Amino acid sequence: RALLRRLWKGDASARMLHPRLQKAMGAYLRANKHGVRFRGRRAAGRSRTELLCALRGRVQVRTLDGTEPPFSALGWRALVPPVPLSRLLPRGLRTCAVVTSAGAILNSSLGEEIDSHDAVLRFNSAPTRGYEKDVGNKTTLRIINSQILTNPSYHFMDSALYKDVILVAWDPAPYSANLNLWYKRPDYNLFTPYVQHRQRNPNQPFYILHPKFIWQLWDIIQENTKEKIQPNPPSSGFIGILLMMNLCGEVHVYEYVPSVRQTDLCHYHEPYHDAACTLGAYHPLLYEKLLVQRLNVGSQGDLHRKGKVVLPGLQAVRC
Ligand code: C5P
């Protein structure tokens, strides 16, 4: 609870985490499995406006477009959707919702508010059926990690969760963003099911995020954090928030920075408890959330009661 209050105020530190999570973080720092080498400069004291300008100037949503090796030689130019993700949604999206999968969204009654947005982003296998009152039932986009495509238990090819929505997949690539290396040794081989899905469903927009975009986001989190963050990609939640800040006039994020309902229940749709889901072990989640808290233009009341953060779209930011 003390940590929650510090998160709301924006001055939490990893030193406040449970020793088990601190230990896990330390192990990831030592392993540096993706070969991260931070070359940027720390700029931890930026104001909200300065931060927004830095984001606007630096964050470039990129997806694989088939023009770079090895994908160019594999015929991916004709395989990827003809319309880029950045031009797929109408320009005039006023407000968008990002709905995290946190257990704390249970009993929130946020469903109606979430559905009132022009577009709704959800993550991985998070369902709406049976949870409409709390999470709504509209889904415009879904961000999926490579495990969703490769682990048979998700039934990626058949499940209704992944139909009639824009799909955006990602996989942790090396920090160097060397596409040849990544193609040979992805974390989970999402490339084969991606090709198969594109061939079977050519009309469904389905993109793979470019590793440069993912690691650009990591650089920005580290740049704006005093502590050394985990050398692992940001969570799907953070990736989705920045994606929507590029596409929408305003972004309303639900249960990312936790509300008073904060719980160790990892996902609202699964009976599994682990504080790491909310505070991070692999992902630099605590630092992501501190950064997002600093960008919040919504009220403290909405933050505490709804777990809602309101972020300006990046197009409208004047620098
Ligand atoms: O676990 P999963 O990645 O599918 O959840 C989607 C996103 O929701 C996470 O990447 C994370 O950003 C956010 N989340 C959270 N707290 C939780 C569970 C998920 O902030 N307890």
Side-chain angles (χ1 to χ4, degrees), residues 100-102 123-124 235-237 255-256 266-267 277-278 285 289:
T100 76
S101 311
F123 298 95
N124 295 318
S235 73
S236 297
E255 283 297 357
Y256 183 63
C266 183
H267 294 135
C277 297
T278 306
L285 204 50
K289 292 183 183 197

Side-chain angles (χ1 to χ4, degrees), residues 49-60:
T49 316
E50 288 169 338
L51 255 178
L52 282 169
C53 284
L55 288 173
R56 190 196 146 99
R58 298 259 308 283
V59 177
Q60 219 194 341

Side-chain angles (χ1 to χ4, degrees), residues 120-128 139-144 161-162 165-169:
V120 178
L121 171 68
R122 301 184 194 274
F123 298 95
N124 295 318
S125 64
T128 53
T139 308
T140 316
L141 295 96
R142 202 175 268 280
I143 293 197
I144 51 180
L161 282 176
Y162 312 108
V165 296
I166 301 165
L167 290 175
V168 180

Side-chain angles (χ1 to χ4, degrees), residues 272-283:
Y272 170 67
H273 290 76
D274 185 351
C277 297
T278 306
L279 299 170
Y282 174 78
H283 298 294

Side-chain angles (χ1 to χ4, degrees), residues 96-254:
C96 297
V98 174
V99 186
T100 76
S101 311
I105 206 160
L106 285 178
N107 300 316
S108 68
S109 299
L110 283 167
E112 209 174 308
E113 174 174 332
I114 289 169
D115 283 343
S116 74
H117 290 281
D118 297 329
V120 178
L121 171 68
R122 301 184 194 274
F123 298 95
N124 295 318
S125 64
T128 53
R129 202 154 146 206
Y131 300 94
E132 292 88 347
K133 191 165 179 293
D134 295 327
V135 306
N137 65 17
K138 176 165 159 180
T139 308
T140 316
L141 295 96
R142 202 175 268 280
I143 293 197
I144 51 180
N145 61 41
S146 46
Q147 295 176 52
I148 298 289
L149 288 93
T150 51
N151 184 332
S153 70
Y154 293 111
H155 302 282
F156 174 63
M157 290 291 177
D158 313 309
S159 166
L161 282 176
Y162 312 108
K163 296 195 196 305
D164 303 312
V165 296
I166 301 165
L167 290 175
V168 180
W170 72 279
D171 176 74
Y175 182 76
S176 65
N178 180 323
L179 300 183
N180 284 302
L181 268 182
W182 180 40
Y183 187 74
K184 269 192 233 137
R185 247 182 301 148
D187 212 19
Y188 293 88
N189 181 6
L190 77 172
F191 302 115
T192 311
Y194 177 76
V195 172
Q196 207 174 61
H197 192 283
R198 286 297 303 148
Q199 286 167 345
R200 282 195 209 164
N201 312 277
N203 296 324
Q204 181 176 7
F206 184 8
Y207 305 85
I208 296 181
L209 290 173
H210 199 293
K212 284 216 167 116
F213 171 60
I214 311 250
W215 288 113
Q216 207 172 25
L217 299 183
W218 185 92
D219 284 341
I220 289 171
I221 302 166
Q222 180 59 88
E223 230 177 79
N224 291 287
T225 304
K226 288 196 191 105
E227 297 172 19
K228 214 165 169 189
I229 74 170
Q230 293 94 316
N232 299 323
S235 73
S236 297
F238 190 79
I239 294 170
I241 290 167
L242 269 293
L243 172 65
M244 295 314 261
M245 284 176 80
N246 272 273
L247 301 178
C248 307
E250 193 171 84
V251 182
H252 295 224
V253 185
Y254 296 93

